[in-house]
Each structure stands twice: as C-alpha cells, then as structure tokens.
C-alpha cells in the first residue's frame, strides 16, 4: 500500500507519522511519500518521520519529493494538508477582518472565505493530477475550510472524503469522563464542518444508551470551560456545540478579545520555528510534546481509521466525515457537504440517519450552507461581486457596509493568490 501526503513538510506531519507507526496493523503502509515544495522543511520533517518509523519498528519506506506528479504516482490514497500562502496568509486572515469589527479566524467568517478562495483552485489542480496518475486513488481532505474544499472535490467528480479532528477530540474527552474506551463512545455529531453539535453521546454504537444528560450533569462545568461558554448556555441548549460555535454565540466578545492579544497565527508561527529546530535534531525519534499545542489532536488516528476503511482494511465501521448530504438533513440541498456519522467502506461514506434537528441549529446550518454555496462560486469563478455576495450571506458579517469593506480588504491582501484579481 502506498500513501502520499501533499503538504508533507507541515509541522503537523510527525503527528500523522506517529499514528501510522503505532497503528500499522490497521493500515499496513509499504511506502509513504511526503510531497511539499518547501524542500528545507521537507528535509527536516522527512528525517524525523524516518526516525519515528525506525524507533517503532515500522517496515515501511518513507520518501520525500517536491515533484507532485511523481509523489502521487501509484498512490492508493492521497492526504491533503496544505496551506496556500503559509502562516503569513493566516496572519492576515486573522487580522484584517477585525478592522471591520468582524471575527478574524482562519476557517470561518471573512478569513475563512479568503482561505477558501486561495485554496480551492490549488486543490482542484492537485486532484486532477492525482486522477491522471491513478484514477482509483482516494483523496482524504484535511485542508481547511474542509467543507467547502471537499464539496469542490466532489462536484468535480473526485473520490474524496473530508476529515476534521473535532469529533474524535470530543470522543476521546467524553470517553475519559465516562471511564470507557473511545471505541465505546458513538457521537450523534450533526452539522457542517466547524459548525457542529453533539446531540447525543451513545455507549456501544448508534443504538446505544444516550449518556449526554449524565455528561452535562456531572461534567458540565469542565465542558463549558473547555468551550469558553457559560455553563447555563450548555444546559439551555441541551447539547455540546463545537468550540467554533463561540464565534457565533459570543461574536462581539470574541472580537474584543482578539483585539487585545497576539493572533493565533503569530503563536503558531513561533511554535513552528521551535518545532522545526527540534525536528533537525538527529537524536529526536518521537513527536515532541510541543506538537500537542500546535493543534490537530488525534488527527493521525482519525486519518488512519478513515484510510483503512476506504482501502478495505480494518477501520471502524462508523466515522464522522464530511460528505454529500443526500437527504440526510432534509432542510439542506442534497449536494451540500455535511459533517455527520457515516458508514465508511471501500465504496466511500454513506451518512447514517439523523434525528430531526432543532430549528435553533437547523436555521444556522441553512444560513451557512447558503454562504458556502456562494463561497464556492466565488472560489471557482472569481469576481468582486461574488466575494461580496458570499460575505453578505455569512451570519458573522451580514451587513452591506461590513461586506463592502471586507471585500476590498480580502482582495487587497490576497491579490497574489487570486488569478482574477
């Protein structure tokens, strides 16, 4: 089995490598290719990756290349984890929206739209080259914004599934609180990428006992603290929202906070400098503890599970993924990309049935789905008016003066990445 990781020079990659090494029985990789145009980073990351495999006795071969076509040739699956524009673009995504009084964040709001506009054309080009090299290869997308990028891939006819680590993070957290193994916890995880709620937490599988009321009663303060939301909000909702919902439920509070401290992008850039220095140490043969603060917790385990199931191996029968709606949420179009539990196998992902969604959540999902429609149209066809329409539709923007100002700033800060600008 051959896997390729596009964006293999990312400081995330050792987390992925560690999972591949630990879970080799689930996903027996013979060759792993790390593909990245940044050869200096690739050399450091690739060296550590090889040492991690060697330490854990993994027999697979790790190679590195900046040649995308050579790297994906013959791959059974290709994982996408790229960041167009790097941390410098992320820094801008998180700062210029604040000038208009809107949240600055890399995956949602105006910053998320900027990332989508930069990313979708690049990902589609990569996917076409993967299809030419090996039309049977699966594409696993971890590149944000995952929902929009995955929809672009599916609309273009690619064999693609989107992946996020939010659900597996909740699964691990809840398992620890309940004193059970993660595999015992089945989440009724409903929504769009980065706009989800855990509506039930079941023990043993899709039909198991719902222990969410018990979790909220016994651990509500801890859960609320992790989400940085008031405990009474969780009690009134009766569900556990993802931490991205704070951008919606406490927008103005978040904007005030973001204006008083360094951006997350600046923090991550400093971490990356430290991590790359560590990766260059020839005695380091495990992922460093600092990597846990970088983000992407449990990504490796989710990626291994998904790849194993898609490639006919021993992955879990049910996994939270991003895929076509196909009637699962009847208030959304069939071709919307939703993030829910799905049955995953060699033919792809089939969403499980979902209980009726509370209008409090369904309304926001419909609103953001409409934004994602317009965002993808802007990413595929360009043009100032399309950018403006997407921003005006977004519930974190929603006023024409804000949308106008944000449109000008988005184009000014991203001109080098927008062929039409």
């Amino acid at each position: 089995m051959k896997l390729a990781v596009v964006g293999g020079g990312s400081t995330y990659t050792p987390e992925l490598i560690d999972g591949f090494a630990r879970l080799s029985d689930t996903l027996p990789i013979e060759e792993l290719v790390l593909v990245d145009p940044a050869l200096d980073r690739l050399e450091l990351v690739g060296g550590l990756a090889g040492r991690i495999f060697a330490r854990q006795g993994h027999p697979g071969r790790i190679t590195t290349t900046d040649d995308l076509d050579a790297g994906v040739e013959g791959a059974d699956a290709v994982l996408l984890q790229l960041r167009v524009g790097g941390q410098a673009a992320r820094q801008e995504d998180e700062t210029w929206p604040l000038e208009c009084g809107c949240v600055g964040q890399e995956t949602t709001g105006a910053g998320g739209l900027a990332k989508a506009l930069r990313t979708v054309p690049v990902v589609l080009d990569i996917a076409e080259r993967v299809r030419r090299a090996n039309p049977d290869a699966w594409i696993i997308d971890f590149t944000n914004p995952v929902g929009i990028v995955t929809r672009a891939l599916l609309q273009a006819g690619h064999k693609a599934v989107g992946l996020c680590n939010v659900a597996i993070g909740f699964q691990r957290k809840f398992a620890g609180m309940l004193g059970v193994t993660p595999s015992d916890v089945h989440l009724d995880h409903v929504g769009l990428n980065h706009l989800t709620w855990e509506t039930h937490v079941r023990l043993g599988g899709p039909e198991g006992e719902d222990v969410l009321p018990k979790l909220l009663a016994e651990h509500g303060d801890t859960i609320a603290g992790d989400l940085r939301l008031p405990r009474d909000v969780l009690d009134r909702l009766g569900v556990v929202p993802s931490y991205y919902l704070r951008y919606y439920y406490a927008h103005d509070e978040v904007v005030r906070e973001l204006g008083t401290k360094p951006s997350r992008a600046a923090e991550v850039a400093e971490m990356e400098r430290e991590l790359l220095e560590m990766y260059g140490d020839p005695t380091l043969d495990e992922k460093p503890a600092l990597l846990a603060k970088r983000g992407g917790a449990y990504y490796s385990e989710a990626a291994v599970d998904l790849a194993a199931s898609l490639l006919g191996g021993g992955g879990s029968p049910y996994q939270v993924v991003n895929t076509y709606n196909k009637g699962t949420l009847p208030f959304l179009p069939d071709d919307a990309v939703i993030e829910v539990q799905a049955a995953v196998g060699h033919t792809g992902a089939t969403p499980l049935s979902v209980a009726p969604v509370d209008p409090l959540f369904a309304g926001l999902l419909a609103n953001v789905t409409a934004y994602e429609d317009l965002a993808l149209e802007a990413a595929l066809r360009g043009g100032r008016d399309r950018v403006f329409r997407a921003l005006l539709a977004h519930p974190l923007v929603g006023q024409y003066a804000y949308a106008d100002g944000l449109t000008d700033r988005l184009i000014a800060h991203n001109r080098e990445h927008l062929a039409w600008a």
Side-chain angles (χ1 to χ4, degrees), residues 1-9 13 16-17 20 27 29 31-36 68 71-72 75-82 123 126 130 137-143 153 159 161 163 299-308 310-311:
M1 181 184 299
K2 176 180 176 179
L3 266 65
V5 179
V6 178
T13 299
L16 190 62
I17 299 300
F20 287 156
L27 188 68
I29 299 171
E31 182 180 1
L32 178 64
V33 184
L34 306 180
V35 183
D36 203 295
L68 175 68
V72 303
D76 297 288
V78 178
L79 281 72
L80 304 182
Q81 56 172 36
L82 56 145
V123 165
I126 292 170
V130 170
W138 279 102
I139 295 176
I140 298 174
D141 177 55
F142 193 66
T143 296
L153 288 165
K159 293 177 60 177
V161 180
L163 181 64
Y299 162 42
S300 61
E301 296 174 34
V304 167
D305 209 15
L306 179 54
L310 292 174
L311 299 177

Side-chain angles (χ1 to χ4, degrees), residues 45-59:
V45 174
L48 175 57
R51 296 191 296 273
I52 291 173
F53 263 32
R55 174 179 175 146
Q56 300 200 34
H58 194 293

Side-chain angles (χ1 to χ4, degrees), residues 17-353:
I17 299 300
D18 176 73
F20 287 156
R22 287 186 292 104
L23 302 171
S24 58
D25 290 344
T26 303
L27 188 68
I29 299 171
E30 297 168 293
E31 182 180 1
L32 178 64
V33 184
L34 306 180
V35 183
D36 203 295
L39 288 173
D40 52 343
R41 295 168 62 102
L42 192 59
E43 180 181 2
L44 297 174
V45 174
L48 175 57
R51 296 191 296 273
I52 291 173
F53 263 32
R55 174 179 175 146
Q56 300 200 34
H58 194 293
R61 180 166 63 100
I62 295 178
T63 59
T64 62
T65 182
D66 63 346
D67 185 333
L68 175 68
D69 296 313
V72 303
E73 180 71 36
D76 297 288
V78 178
L79 281 72
L80 304 182
Q81 56 172 36
L82 56 145
R83 181 183 295 279
V84 180
Q87 292 299 329
R90 176 179 181 172
Q91 169 69 17
E92 295 186 347
D93 292 346
E94 294 181 357
T95 51
W96 54 260
L98 295 174
E99 297 170 6
C100 295
C102 296
V103 159
Q105 211 276 332
E106 65 157 339
T107 65
T108 193
L113 176 60
K115 194 172 196 302
L117 297 182
R118 293 193 304 269
T119 304
V120 165
V122 174
V123 165
L124 289 178
D125 176 66
I126 292 170
E128 285 299 330
R129 293 161 72 175
V130 170
R131 180 153 55 189
R132 288 199 298 268
N134 183 4
D136 293 325
W138 279 102
I139 295 176
I140 298 174
D141 177 55
F142 193 66
T143 296
N144 282 319
V146 168
I148 295 173
V149 172
T150 301
R151 186 169 179 181
L153 288 165
L154 291 173
Q155 280 190 182
H158 298 290
K159 293 177 60 177
V161 180
L163 181 64
C164 180
N165 68 319
V166 167
I168 195 172
F170 275 130
Q171 181 195 44
R172 299 307 196 260
K173 183 187 298 292
F174 295 158
M177 291 175 171
L178 295 165
V180 300
T181 63
S183 61
D184 290 327
V185 175
H186 178 94
L187 302 176
D188 285 5
H189 177 100
V190 179
L192 310 176
N193 179 243
H194 289 184
L195 192 72
T196 52
W197 297 264
E198 311 308 322
T199 58
H200 302 85
V201 178
R202 304 184 185 277
L203 291 182
E207 305 302 323
E209 175 193 2
D210 179 21
V211 294
L212 179 56
K214 171 185 171 71
L215 278 168
L216 289 175
E218 297 180 1
H219 302 280
D221 288 342
T222 299
I223 296 170
D226 290 344
L227 298 173
R228 301 185 63 201
L229 289 171
R231 166 67 187 272
D232 72 299
V233 171
L234 261 63
D235 291 337
R236 291 158 72 186
L237 292 176
V239 302
V240 177
S242 88
Y243 45 86
Y244 288 93
L245 264 298
R246 186 167 183 262
Y247 295 116
Y248 296 83
Y249 292 162
H251 175 273
D252 293 354
E253 179 182 340
V254 172
V255 169
R256 286 192 295 270
E257 288 177 2
L258 293 175
T260 62
K261 62 180 184 179
S263 67
R264 174 63 178 165
E267 294 175 357
V268 169
E270 178 56 36
M271 275 187 235
E272 289 205 331
R273 284 190 287 271
E274 294 181 41
L275 286 168
L276 289 171
E277 185 175 342
M278 292 178 183
Y279 295 172
D281 179 356
T283 66
L284 182 67
D285 58 4
E286 60 184 346
K287 63 177 183 180
L290 178 61
L291 187 55
K293 298 180 180 180
R294 171 67 178 82
Y298 307 114
Y299 162 42
S300 61
E301 296 174 34
V304 167
D305 209 15
L306 179 54
S309 293
L310 292 174
L311 299 177
S316 303
Y318 306 117
Q319 298 170 42
V320 174
V321 298
N322 285 260
T323 191
Y324 270 150
N325 179 37
K326 293 182 179 178
T328 308
L329 301 180
F331 54 90
L332 298 182
D334 285 351
D335 64 350
V337 165
I338 60 174
E339 185 172 291
V340 293
Q341 285 278 2
V344 183
H346 69 278
T347 59
T350 302
L352 303 185
S353 61

Side-chain angles (χ1 to χ4, degrees), residues 355-378:
V357 177
D358 188 313
L360 179 61
F361 314 135
L364 184 54
L365 289 173
N367 191 166
V368 176
T369 296
Y371 152 75
E372 290 191 349
D373 289 347
L374 296 167
L376 184 53
E377 182 75 2

